[in-house]
Amino acid sequence: ESINPSGKDIEIGAYDILPAPKEVKCSGSMVTVPGTVKVNASSELSIAASYLVEKAQLCGIEVDGNAAFPVNLSIKKDESKNDEYYELKVSNKGIEIAGNSPAGTLNGVKTLVAALERTNGKNILPEADICDYPDLRHRGMMLDISRNYTPYESVKDFIDILASYKINVFQFHFNDDEAWRIEMPSIPELTSFGSKKGMTHDEKDFLMQTYAGNGNPDDLTTSANGFITADEFVELIKYAHNRGIEIIPEIETPGHSRAVILSLKNRYNKYKDIDPAKAEEFVVWDTKDTTNYISVQGYSDNVLNLAVPGTYRFVKRIIDELESMFNQAGVKLKTVHLGGDEAAIARWTTCEKCLAAFRDDGVDVDKYLATEEGTKELSELMYATFIKEICEVILSCGKTPVVWEGF
């Protein structure tokens, strides 16, 4: 009550937004932003200008090249300042937003939009000089649509929210043990099988029911079922890019891979009698491995096999698919997250194919296996080797690999 006394109004200014600008100097005068403004921006600031036009309309402000009130967007480079530094000046002569880069100018636009939204349609702002910059270059948020599906339009809404808070990285967690949620045209089973969950005793046609759902794999009204099409993902990439957000897709490896493994087994069974080579292409398990294990998630079939070539072919194919979709969006795919956490890596120490692969590389496997501590060290060596090799796949594609820390 002493902090926020009941019954008393707390005055909140238009620039009291999140994240809070570093410096706001108000003159005491007020500026009425008219219902029609003119936006001036060079071509390199097209994203900032388009964002401003879109959001201004939602605030009841139209953009007209003949309007008297200008909103001027520019770049004012200063090597001594943060790359995303910007200055925002609001006066009765107009609004000036000057950034140290296109990203800085876009951040200034987002501050202006947030301030206008706080006026509840009045569009009256304090005359002010604002200086601001982010403390962190990477400002990220992750969304998991695997366990419980989030549809395309809702993901767009999520991206809008990220943009409003100046979040610039969206880690897209679209696959896990429970489902695969983005269409990969060359491996359709990932979604024709791996995006559906229901009541089943054999998981021949869809995954078992987990988390939300009513047991019907064809019911798209529940968050158990559904996937984002390749065309929709292309649009999401564009949508995020036009709000200053980089999408980092996450491919879960080597653990959290149950949906992948069962989807690829569905593919294997489809082709094994009619096209054996196609069936074998993405075998990510050892058919002779009878290892019993339980992962931290409670599964006994969610770890990729590090010793079969299909595992690396699969990851490479997914990178190719993702890159194709990014290229269609006109955006460069720069970073790929490879998961890496919570994998039941101890199972590799009882897999004969895995042990044979390390023996072939000159590792004294039997010495490691002689003690419990040695077996643990061997599993960690296997994990480190897998991460190194899978990262090399990503690097060979010209991308930066990222993994969770720890296993």
Side-chain angles (χ1 to χ4, degrees), residues 35-328:
T36 306
V37 303
K38 175 172 60 176
V39 175
N40 299 313
S42 63
S43 59
E44 65 181 325
L45 294 175
S46 60
I47 288 177
S50 296
Y51 186 84
L52 176 57
V53 171
E54 176 187 330
K55 297 301 181 181
Q57 290 175 338
L58 296 177
C59 294
I61 300 171
E62 295 298 323
V63 175
D64 186 333
N66 296 316
F69 190 92
V71 180
N72 298 318
L73 310 182
S74 64
I75 293 178
K76 187 169 66 176
K77 191 67 179 175
D78 185 340
E79 297 292 345
S80 68
K81 289 184 168 62
N82 184 298
D83 188 55
E84 293 186 69
Y85 175 87
Y86 69 89
E87 295 177 355
L88 167 61
K89 182 178 180 65
V90 178
S91 74
N92 283 300
K93 295 180 180 180
I95 296 173
E96 305 280 342
I97 302 175
N100 207 19
S101 66
T105 304
L106 178 59
N107 284 341
V109 167
K110 290 175 179 177
T111 292
L112 173 62
V113 169
L116 288 169
E117 289 175 343
R118 292 193 64 79
T119 69
N120 296 317
K122 296 178 181 178
N123 297 329
I124 301 175
L125 298 174
E127 186 176 64
D129 290 297
I130 297 173
C131 300
D132 189 28
Y133 56 89
D135 293 312
L136 301 174
R137 185 183 299 273
H138 180 118
R139 305 179 298 280
M141 182 71 75
M142 186 186 84
L143 176 65
D144 175 1
I145 69 168
S146 173
R147 276 101 171 186
N148 292 300
Y149 176 58
T150 302
Y152 169 71
E153 290 294 341
S154 296
V155 176
K156 286 179 67 177
D157 292 342
F158 178 77
I159 290 171
D160 269 325
I161 293 170
L162 298 188
S164 71
Y165 287 105
K166 301 185 179 77
I167 299 295
N168 65 350
V169 176
F170 169 21
Q171 184 174 324
F172 204 176
H173 189 98
F174 63 88
N175 63 98
D176 211 292
D177 290 316
E178 289 75 24
W180 182 287
R181 301 294 191 181
I182 293 181
E183 177 189 19
M184 301 289 149
S186 67
I187 313 179
E189 296 79 13
L190 289 170
T191 45
S192 64
F193 176 93
S195 73
K196 301 164 66 176
K197 296 189 284 186
M199 300 304 293
T200 173
H201 66 279
D202 56 17
E203 293 186 290
K204 285 179 60 178
D205 300 311
F206 48 84
L207 293 165
M208 68 179 180
Q209 183 67 62
T210 53
Y211 293 94
N214 58 15
N216 180 357
D218 298 315
D219 186 352
L220 296 179
T221 67
T222 82
S223 59
N225 308 311
F227 65 92
I228 290 171
T229 68
D231 288 342
E232 288 174 336
F233 186 50
V234 169
E235 291 305 311
L236 288 177
I237 297 167
K238 293 179 186 176
Y239 198 77
H241 179 73
N242 289 336
R243 282 150 180 75
I245 297 171
E246 175 191 1
I247 291 182
I248 296 181
E250 181 178 352
I251 310 167
E252 281 289 2
T253 66
H256 288 273
S257 296
R258 189 172 192 272
V260 164
I261 293 169
L262 269 65
S263 295
L264 295 178
K265 285 185 175 181
N266 176 267
R267 182 180 190 274
Y268 175 84
N269 290 329
K270 182 191 301 183
Y271 292 112
K272 64 180 180 180
D273 296 326
I274 58 174
D275 191 342
K278 191 170 185 176
E280 293 284 345
E281 185 178 14
F282 300 121
V283 170
V284 296
W285 61 92
D286 176 11
T287 55
K288 297 180 180 179
D289 183 14
T290 59
T291 301
N292 292 316
Y293 70 95
I294 297 293
S295 71
V296 68
Q297 301 84 17
Y299 296 119
S300 60
D301 51 359
N302 75 337
V303 180
L304 302 175
N305 191 290
L306 65 79
V308 296
T311 293
Y312 306 94
R313 279 198 296 263
F314 171 74
V315 172
K316 175 64 167 61
R317 176 62 62 84
I318 298 303
I319 300 303
D320 291 343
E321 289 277 22
L322 290 171
E323 181 155 39
S324 173
M325 288 184 268
F326 271 78
N327 288 342
Q328 290 175 58

Side-chain angles (χ1 to χ4, degrees), residues 392-404:
E392 286 175 353
V393 173
I394 305 303
L395 290 168
S396 72
C397 298
K399 316 303 171 194
T400 299
V402 180
V403 296
W404 294 114

